[in-house]
Amino acid sequence: PPRVLCLGEVLWDSTPAGLFLGGAPVNVACHLTELEMAVQIGSRVGDDELGREVARRLNKKGVGTKYMQVDSDLETGFVVVEMGENGIP
């Protein structure tokens, strides 16, 4: 199968419905694994529980984390998504 390396940010989207793994490179990587491509993610997460959960979820989806770095000084990215009156972010 084709091999792909997706580079960029990994973050958590916090919505009223829960926490969701996000960032464009993560979204692309997860969709490519559904097409049976071999995918690695190149990014950086914090040395925290959210960073460890990123690796667990990506590995569970079949996305390799060999190129994901762990930063001992900064936290894993986290965004609070506010919903409009119409229920759209």
Side-chain angles (χ1 to χ4, degrees):
R3 294 179 296 170
V4 178
L5 174 61
C6 294
L7 298 171
E9 70 177 344
V10 173
L11 55 85
W12 288 97
D13 294 323
S14 175
T15 74
L19 283 176
F20 298 91
L21 195 51
V26 169
N27 295 337
V28 170
C30 291
H31 288 298
L32 289 174
T33 61
E34 293 171 3
L35 297 173
E36 300 182 3
M37 293 187 183
V39 182
Q40 291 281 335
I41 188 91
S43 191
R44 191 171 183 102
V45 296
D47 186 12
D48 51 29
E49 188 55 38
L50 289 176
R52 288 183 283 281
E53 186 62 23
V54 167
R56 281 191 289 270
R57 290 197 189 187
L58 289 176
N59 287 322
K60 186 175 180 180
K61 291 180 177 282
V63 176
T65 56
K66 179 165 97 172
Y67 301 108
M68 194 169 70
Q69 299 175 342
V70 176
D71 191 313
S72 60
D73 295 322
L74 299 174
E75 297 177 349
T76 301
F78 185 87
V79 175
V80 176
V81 178
E82 294 183 15
M83 305 303 253
E85 290 180 22
N86 57 3
I88 298 176

